[in-house]
Amino acid sequence: MRIFQHVTDLGDLHTALAEAAEVKRDRFQWQHLGKNKTALLIFFNNSLRTRLSTQKAAMNLGMNVIVLDVNQGAWKLETERGVIMDGDKSEHLLEAIPVMGSYCDIIGVRSFARFESRKDDYEEKILQQFIKYSGRPVFFMESATVHPLQAFADLITIKEDWKGNSRPKVVMTWAPHPKSLPQAVPNSFAEWMLAADVDFVVTHPEGYELDPQFVKGAQVEYDQMKAFEGADFVYAKNWSCPGVTRPEDYGKVLHDYHTMMDWCVSSRQMAVTNNAGFLHCLPVRRNMIVTDDVIESPRSLVIPEAANREISAEVVLKRMLESL
Ligand code: CP
């Protein structure tokens, strides 16, 4: 595997899930693969889970790990070609990327949506440059539009928890937030659920329609309570306007969140589910996205879900090491 961005990069999903279970049984059995190999993890944005779980996964595989916080201690990077660099940016990404590539065998990059240009964000301008100029396999640790390590961990968690014989009903719900957040997590979750053996429903207020490249084929229900009926899993997440129908609204928060608090996941909505498991990628703002009682309930899966980030990262790194 040279790139990990989409669910299709993993090939057969059943095989990948079986591999995740095998990793979980003994996560140290492939230490020989990573011997004398280096993973470079580059963060343009903050992280707790991705940073720790990916480092742990690399160490499980016997790798050396270098972590770079681009905005803390590195030269400030110019990303646009053709710019006269007489400002505060001392280095261009076009030199920095191949230099970084020369110090490692595999690169992971976190670079969120900038909300300056929908086109640049949805074309993955930063990550594509790493793919083109680093000369190394590149995995996405949350980019402008996707968060595949999270979605893989989400699917592993659903598979582990689901005890039924038929396909579970999985509902992804928009929830309020005071800030403008990217669509990477809901995009990837939708992409992965549509590829998995689940019945997938998305619910959000009108105006927050996700890009069809990720959500095409999903059932969209604007009535949140109706969507929750009989749900086996509820995935809560905020996202800003994806700008699908009105590009000028890309990245905007369309309503004052005070008027949207009915969308906060509480026992009112959970009561109509099939004792649904509650998922969120974390970090989560309590009593905005989800109430204290729901996230603290026995059906809250957020901690095992975060723990499975180590497993999803290990499967991806293992696949990349095997293809070096
Ligand atoms: N879920 C997730 O990616 O967490 P971090 O932002 O803390 O890495």
Side-chain angles (χ1 to χ4, degrees):
M1 186 198 294
R2 295 286 302 179
I3 297 169
F4 181 61
Q5 177 177 6
H6 294 295
V7 65
T8 46
D9 295 324
L10 273 185
D12 180 69
L13 208 43
H14 292 108
T15 306
L17 286 165
E19 198 170 328
E22 176 66 16
V23 165
K24 207 158 183 175
R25 269 190 290 278
D26 178 4
R27 57 198 77 188
F28 304 109
Q29 61 182 300
W30 294 280
Q31 291 239 325
H32 58 283
L33 284 179
K35 187 172 161 47
N36 296 333
K37 297 285 189 291
T38 299
L40 173 57
L41 311 182
I42 300 167
F43 289 89
F44 287 84
N45 307 95
N46 295 341
S47 168
L48 187 153
R49 279 143 291 272
T50 304
R51 174 188 301 268
L52 298 181
S53 63
T54 312
Q55 285 187 65
K56 178 65 165 58
M59 292 187 294
N60 292 348
L61 290 162
M63 299 186 81
N64 301 309
V65 189
I66 305 172
V67 180
L68 177 67
D69 288 298
V70 173
N71 297 320
Q72 290 170 21
W75 300 111
K76 210 164 179 187
L77 293 175
E78 176 58 64
T79 57
E80 296 299 315
R81 198 168 168 278
V83 168
I84 297 172
M85 289 174 59
D86 58 356
D88 62 342
K89 294 173 179 166
S90 308
E91 179 154 23
H92 202 288
L93 208 54
L94 290 174
E95 283 80 55
I97 290 175
V99 168
M100 291 189 270
S102 73
Y103 301 143
C104 66
D105 300 281
I106 294 172
I107 299 183
V109 182
R110 165 165 285 201
S111 179
F112 290 172
R114 298 180 170 195
F115 292 135
E116 290 164 5
S117 153
R118 185 181 198 281
K119 184 172 175 291
D120 286 355
D121 284 347
Y122 270 73
E123 286 179 358
E124 294 289 3
K125 202 170 172 184
I126 302 295
L127 266 292
Q128 287 305 328
Q129 292 190 75
F130 276 91
I131 290 168
K132 197 167 172 186
Y133 299 117
S134 71
R136 303 294 176 210
V138 174
F139 63 99
F140 286 47
M141 299 196 301
E142 189 171 346
S143 67
T145 65
V146 293
H147 196 358
L149 288 170
Q150 181 64 52
F152 189 16
D154 298 335
L155 181 59
I156 293 167
T157 310
I158 288 170
K159 183 171 185 293
E160 287 174 344
D161 186 77
W162 180 235
K163 304 290 182 276
N165 295 321
S166 56
R167 290 157 67 94
K169 177 179 176 181
V170 178
V171 177
M172 179 171 74
T173 182
W174 181 94
H177 197 282
K179 292 189 171 174
S180 176
L181 297 190
Q183 296 101 44
V185 168
N187 282 345
S188 281
F189 188 72
E191 182 185 72
W192 286 66
M193 288 305 112
L194 288 166
D197 293 331
V198 309
D199 292 331
F200 184 54
V201 180
V202 185
T203 182
H204 55 74
E206 286 189 45
Y208 287 98
E209 290 75 16
L210 291 163
D211 195 295
Q213 70 175 292
F214 297 105
V215 86
K216 195 173 173 201
Q219 183 189 336
V220 177
E221 173 56 67
Y222 293 110
D223 181 335
Q224 190 194 35
M225 284 301 283
K226 202 167 160 194
F228 271 53
E229 283 170 13
D232 299 299
F233 295 93
V234 167
Y235 195 93
K237 186 72 184 81
N238 172 269
W239 62 91
S240 62
C241 177
V244 171
T245 47
R246 285 173 46 89
E248 62 271 30
D249 285 345
Y250 173 59
K252 285 187 183 165
V253 176
L254 300 178
H255 315 92
D256 179 343
Y257 71 83
H258 294 97
T259 67
M260 305 302 286
M261 293 307 287
D262 271 4
W263 283 79
C264 175
V265 177
S266 68
S267 52
R268 176 177 65 86
Q269 294 102 322
M270 295 304 279
V272 302
T273 69
N274 182 28
N275 193 27
F278 176 82
L279 296 127
H280 187 280
C281 61
L282 303 181
V284 69
R285 289 183 183 239
R286 284 179 174 222
N287 304 306
M288 287 289 310
I289 301 282
V290 57
T291 56
D292 290 320
D293 58 329
V294 171
I295 198 167
E296 291 171 6
S297 79
R299 291 298 291 139
S300 174
L301 300 174
V302 296
I303 304 304
E305 180 184 5
N308 278 331
R309 290 293 306 275
E310 179 183 339
I311 306 304
S312 65
E314 187 165 339
V315 172
V316 169
L317 285 169
K318 174 176 169 289
R319 295 261 184 114
M320 288 190 157
L321 286 168
E322 285 167 342
S323 66
L324 284 178

